[in-house]
């Protein structure tokens, strides 16, 4: 059994804890976070600590904290030459202190605290300084997911950037759409089949080919009316910029 210590208490830490504890070959023997918070209702209080000096010896230490805290947490670990990895998409492996054997275990997914996830479908992006350490991460990742990739820090930053566009920005657009619906007493759920179809379509069709809408068909009359209907200047600017980007991509101009 490979012993794991999980550092952090956010969404990634909680979901990783639950997934690892369901495995037969890995087990979380201790958790660290600043508040000594339990990650699961069934977790024993004695396996959680908020004191770096009380962190136990393990085979793998997973830092699942905010990007800005990774370096400090790794530096505060009071041991050397053990395998310490982080879970960030945008932070280089070298952010981990040099006294440790370094690695990255990046689950490419958006995690929400109360939304269950199926780890078998989540791409796991791995990186390690040493081959033996990579093998440990590979064992863990393959026990969690059917999609495991060797990804460098530079590649991971690129993936994270692309993910911000397809996930974070897209979700914000959903929020804008909901606000527009709410302002006019239209139920937002009326758009959900469209959202689902758009997401499903790009599994088999490239985003370039899947693009539709007034910008794609160069429907200036509709574009003008919709811009007039927008009262929020920021949303109007977004509409104009998205329209320009779509038309530039497809060879048209505003």
């Amino acid at each position: 059994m490979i012993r794991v210590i999980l550092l952090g208490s956010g969404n990634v830490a909680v979901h990783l804890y639950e997934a690892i504890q369901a495995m037969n070959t890995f087990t979380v023997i201790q958790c660290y976070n600043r508040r000594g918070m339990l990650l699961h209702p069934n977790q024993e209080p004695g396996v959680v600590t908020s004191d770096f000096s009380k962190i136990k010896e393990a085979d793998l230490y997973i830092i699942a904290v905010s990007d800005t805290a990774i370096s400090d947490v790794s530096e505060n670990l009071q041991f050397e030459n053990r395998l310490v990895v982080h879970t960030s998409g945008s932070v280089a492996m070298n952010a981990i202190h040099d006294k440790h054997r370094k690695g990255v275990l990046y689950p490419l997914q958006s995690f929400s605290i109360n939304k269950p996830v199926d780890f078998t479908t989540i791409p796991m992006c791995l990186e390690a300084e040493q081959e033996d350490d990579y093998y440990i991460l590979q064992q863990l990742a393959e026990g969690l997911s059917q999609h495991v990739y060797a990804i460098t820090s530079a590649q991971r930053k690129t993936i994270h950037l692309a993910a911000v566009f397809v996930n974070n920005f897209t979700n914000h657009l959903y929020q804008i759409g909901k606000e527009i619906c709410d302002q006019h007493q239209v139920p937002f759920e009326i758009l959900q089949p469209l959202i689902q179809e758009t997401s499903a379509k790009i599994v088999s069709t490239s985003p370039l080919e899947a693009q539709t809408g007034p910008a794609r068909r160069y429907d200036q009359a509709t574009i003008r009316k919709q811009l007039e209907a927008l009262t929020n200047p920021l949303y109007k600017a977004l509409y104009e910029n998205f329209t320009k980007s779509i038309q530039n991509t497809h060879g048209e101009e505003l």
Side-chain angles (χ1 to χ4, degrees), residues 97-110:
H97 196 277
D98 288 339
K99 65 184 177 180
H100 305 300
R101 294 164 17 227
K102 306 176 186 180
V104 177
L105 177 77
Y106 171 47
L108 180 52
Q109 185 53 276
S110 175

Side-chain angles (χ1 to χ4, degrees), residues 219-237:
D219 183 350
Q220 290 297 91
T222 298
I223 291 169
R224 185 165 52 251
K225 290 176 183 177
Q226 292 186 340
L227 282 170
E228 290 172 356
L230 287 168
T231 57
N232 185 315
L234 180 57
Y235 296 171
K236 184 172 291 191

Side-chain angles (χ1 to χ4, degrees), residues 27-236:
T27 185
V28 177
I29 63 169
Q30 188 183 40
C31 295
Y32 164 88
N33 58 74
R34 289 178 298 176
R35 293 173 291 174
M37 187 179 80
L38 298 179
L39 300 190
H40 192 275
N42 295 332
Q43 196 172 22
E44 295 291 335
V47 301
V48 181
T49 183
S50 59
D51 186 344
F52 280 108
S53 68
K54 294 182 179 179
I55 292 178
K56 298 178 180 179
E57 182 176 351
D59 304 298
L60 172 62
Y61 298 79
I62 302 176
I63 299 176
V65 300
S66 65
D67 291 355
T68 55
I70 290 171
S71 292
D72 287 343
V73 170
S74 69
E75 185 174 359
N76 283 320
L77 293 173
Q78 298 178 14
F79 50 77
E80 298 180 1
N81 197 34
R82 297 182 193 171
L83 178 55
V84 177
V85 307
H86 70 67
T87 60
S88 171
S90 60
V91 176
M93 179 174 64
N94 287 335
I96 295 172
H97 196 277
D98 288 339
K99 65 184 177 180
H100 305 300
R101 294 164 17 227
K102 306 176 186 180
V104 177
L105 177 77
Y106 171 47
L108 180 52
Q109 185 53 276
S110 175
F111 294 93
S112 298
I113 197 69
N114 294 318
K115 176 73 167 58
V117 296
D118 179 4
F119 260 91
T120 63
T121 66
I122 297 176
M124 302 294 289
C125 303
L126 310 182
E127 185 179 14
E129 285 185 316
Q130 300 180 20
E131 186 175 344
D132 289 347
D133 291 337
Y134 183 88
Y135 178 67
I136 292 174
L137 295 182
Q138 185 178 33
Q139 283 183 290
L140 174 57
E142 290 180 348
L144 295 172
S145 172
Q146 298 173 6
H147 309 280
V148 178
Y149 301 87
I151 299 292
T152 67
S153 288
Q155 290 173 320
R156 194 172 62 258
K157 286 177 68 176
T158 299
I159 292 169
H160 190 264
L161 173 59
V164 167
F165 275 90
V166 303
N167 177 51
N168 305 123
F169 289 165
T170 301
N171 188 75
H172 182 60
L173 294 177
Y174 294 156
Q175 173 58 30
I176 293 174
K178 185 177 187 304
E179 286 182 24
I180 293 170
C181 287
D182 290 346
Q183 288 169 4
H184 298 277
Q185 294 78 51
V186 175
F188 178 66
E189 55 263 29
I190 201 169
L191 296 177
Q192 289 177 356
L194 176 63
I195 292 169
Q196 292 168 359
E197 172 62 18
T198 302
S199 297
K201 190 186 299 183
I202 62 168
V203 174
S204 57
T205 305
S206 75
L208 186 70
E209 295 173 341
Q211 186 68 58
T212 61
R216 175 66 181 91
R217 61 179 181 266
Y218 201 57
D219 183 350
Q220 290 297 91
T222 298
I223 291 169
R224 185 165 52 251
K225 290 176 183 177
Q226 292 186 340
L227 282 170
E228 290 172 356
L230 287 168
T231 57
N232 185 315
L234 180 57
Y235 296 171
K236 184 172 291 191

